[in-house]
Amino acid sequence: MTEKLRILSGIRPTGPLHLGNLYGALKNWVKLQDQYQCFYFIADWHALTTEFENTGIIKPSGKDIITDWLATGIDPERSVLFIQSEVKEHAELSLLLGMLVTVSRLERMPSYKDFQIATGRELSNFGFLGYPVLQSADILMYRAHGVPVGEDQVPHIELTREIARRFNGLYREVFPEPKPILTEAPRVPGTDGRKMSKSYQNAIFLSDPSPVIEHKIKTMITDPARKRRKDPGDPQKCPVWDFHKIYSDEDTRNWVTQGCASAGIGCLDCKGAFIPKVIAELEPIRDLRRYFDEHPGEVLEIIQDGCGRARSFAVETMKMVREAMKI
Ligand code: TRP
Ligand code: SF4
């Protein structure tokens, strides 16, 4: 039997998971478990690079996210679930890989400027500049072959490949060059029509109770042309349409297209057609979540087991790294 290829992905623990995470990452992570040896982890040191003044959220949200993973079908028997800061080797590898990257290369990473523009925060701390080096260490630590990520993370994977090449060339072949695994995820808009994101406060969270989900969708923005019930609209200009693309069959979508353009249906009718589907999808996840919330010992054990397995792998890699570097 050939060994499975390894993949790794992480998430910054800065708040609870939402529907955008479910479609953008989690559903895919669940499927990838059939094919790969998966390492999924909480990037709490990465969260620290931007949240160092507001650290309170990091610890509880890490545990919270792992609970959401378990509730959506991430299987701790097959996948290694762990917390970055519990595997101190990440810090050591990040320091060593830092020798192989120039400061100007890091200053040119798109994420460096993009984050500052998006949040309006001027961040020039050393840790934040080094964010992609730490990410490279995460990936190379497990000698991962693939990294399931969104488009925005591709430059980080590219840097990781450069660092791996540099390391292998300078010292000895230790690291495979990891490839990004991009998923085709549907667009999940937030209640304000922008991309769903916890920082925009437009998210439907996996933990939201059904009435909250219903309220959020009912008050969600629609085609601005439909100010009144009798104004016709265009689904192509309406973020609600993205939900129909995910949840509705063709008949329903035809009903929307015609009803919207003729003002034959109202926006609440239109939303009402898929609200039960969102609720039906999130309900079993929330139920399973409740089970884990009521059995915190089980979650703790899963995390400890995952951290232990990750650590064993990391210790091996670091041995190879130190030997290769003759240090
Ligand atoms: N930078 C990633 C994000 O913001 C999180 C992350 C940290 C990560 N380390 C990683 C993702 C390693 C994939 C692999 O989403
Ligand atoms: Fe959007 Fe539906 Fe209202 Fe048309 S009817 S504007 S598609 S919510």
Side-chain angles (χ1 to χ4, degrees):
M1 206 185 84
T2 53
E3 224 180 292
K4 278 185 174 169
L5 294 180
R6 284 179 301 276
I7 63 169
L8 165 129
S9 198
I11 185 164
R12 292 158 33 94
T14 53
L17 296 185
H18 52 67
L19 206 59
N21 300 126
L22 181 66
Y23 277 90
L26 276 181
K27 279 176 181 273
N28 187 39
W29 288 16
V30 171
K31 278 201 219 117
L32 289 166
Q33 296 181 117
D34 298 333
Q35 208 183 329
Y36 295 99
Q37 167 64 63
C38 302
F39 291 81
Y40 296 132
F41 77 103
I42 301 293
D44 55 349
W45 280 339
H46 275 107
L48 202 58
T49 65
T50 61
E51 306 309 310
F52 52 89
E53 292 164 313
N54 172 34
T55 56
I57 184 157
I58 297 176
K59 225 178 181 173
S61 113
K63 204 166 152 253
D64 216 49
I65 290 172
I66 293 186
T67 311
D68 277 332
W69 288 352
L70 297 171
T72 42
I74 303 285
D75 174 5
E77 300 276 321
R78 287 188 289 163
S79 298
V80 179
L81 313 183
F82 69 98
I83 297 172
Q84 182 183 39
S85 65
E86 292 291 320
V87 185
K88 312 291 180 206
E89 283 76 8
H90 285 238
E92 183 184 359
L93 186 55
S94 180
L95 181 140
L96 297 178
L97 299 181
M99 309 305 152
L100 311 179
V101 192
T102 65
V103 171
S104 64
R105 177 74 178 85
L106 294 175
E107 282 170 341
R108 277 185 275 115
M109 295 301 290
S111 55
Y112 188 60
K113 273 196 214 84
D114 289 352
F115 181 89
Q116 312 203 36
I117 293 167
T119 58
R121 287 172 68 190
E122 226 178 279
L123 276 177
S124 53
N125 53 314
F126 175 60
F128 184 57
L129 182 66
Y131 185 111
V133 181
L134 181 59
Q135 182 161 351
S136 300
D138 301 335
I139 297 167
L140 297 180
M141 184 68 84
Y142 302 93
R143 286 167 268 139
H145 305 92
V147 190
V149 281
E151 197 78 58
D152 63 315
Q153 294 294 311
V154 170
H156 290 160
I157 315 301
E158 191 39 56
L159 179 77
T160 308
R161 292 167 61 84
E162 283 172 33
I163 292 177
R165 275 198 292 276
R166 190 91 206 284
F167 185 102
N168 292 341
L170 265 178
Y171 308 116
R172 183 199 295 168
E173 187 89 20
V174 171
F175 301 119
E177 282 181 38
K179 291 190 179 60
I181 302 177
L182 291 170
T183 28
E184 275 188 47
R187 187 187 128 86
V188 181
T191 50
D192 60 359
R194 291 187 288 175
K195 184 183 161 170
M196 191 178 285
S197 160
K198 57 201 161 202
S199 46
Y200 292 158
Q201 306 201 325
N202 65 0
I204 295 169
F205 294 105
L206 301 188
S207 50
D208 278 342
S210 300
V212 173
I213 298 172
E214 182 163 1
H215 177 78
K216 283 183 175 175
I217 297 175
K218 278 186 170 164
T219 50
M220 176 174 174
I221 191 169
T222 63
D223 177 358
R226 293 206 74 181
K227 283 205 174 46
R228 282 163 299 248
R229 169 70 177 77
K230 62 176 173 37
D231 297 329
D234 177 359
Q236 301 305 326
K237 294 181 182 146
C238 179
V240 171
W241 181 242
D242 288 318
F243 279 99
H244 281 292
K245 285 198 239 168
I246 297 174
Y247 290 103
S248 297
D249 58 22
E250 216 184 314
D251 286 347
T252 309
R253 287 205 297 261
N254 288 335
W255 169 78
V256 170
T257 313
Q258 286 164 14
C260 182
S262 64
I265 61 170
C267 291
L268 284 178
D269 306 322
C270 177
K271 293 168 171 177
F274 67 84
I275 288 174
K277 302 224 164 118
V278 182
I279 289 175
E281 176 166 54
L282 294 186
E283 212 157 43
I285 296 177
R286 223 171 34 244
D287 285 349
L288 204 50
R289 234 201 96 93
R290 192 170 316 116
Y291 168 84
F292 284 114
D293 282 339
E294 285 163 5
H295 299 79
E298 265 182 54
V299 178
L300 219 63
E301 218 171 280
I302 287 168
I303 295 176
Q304 275 168 1
D305 174 66
C307 291
R309 285 154 75 191
R311 208 173 290 126
S312 307
F313 201 104
V315 165
E316 283 295 307
T317 299
M318 288 316 296
K319 239 189 351 220
M320 295 162 73
V321 165
R322 287 186 219 105
E323 272 169 27
M325 294 178 79
K326 300 191 174 44
I327 55 169

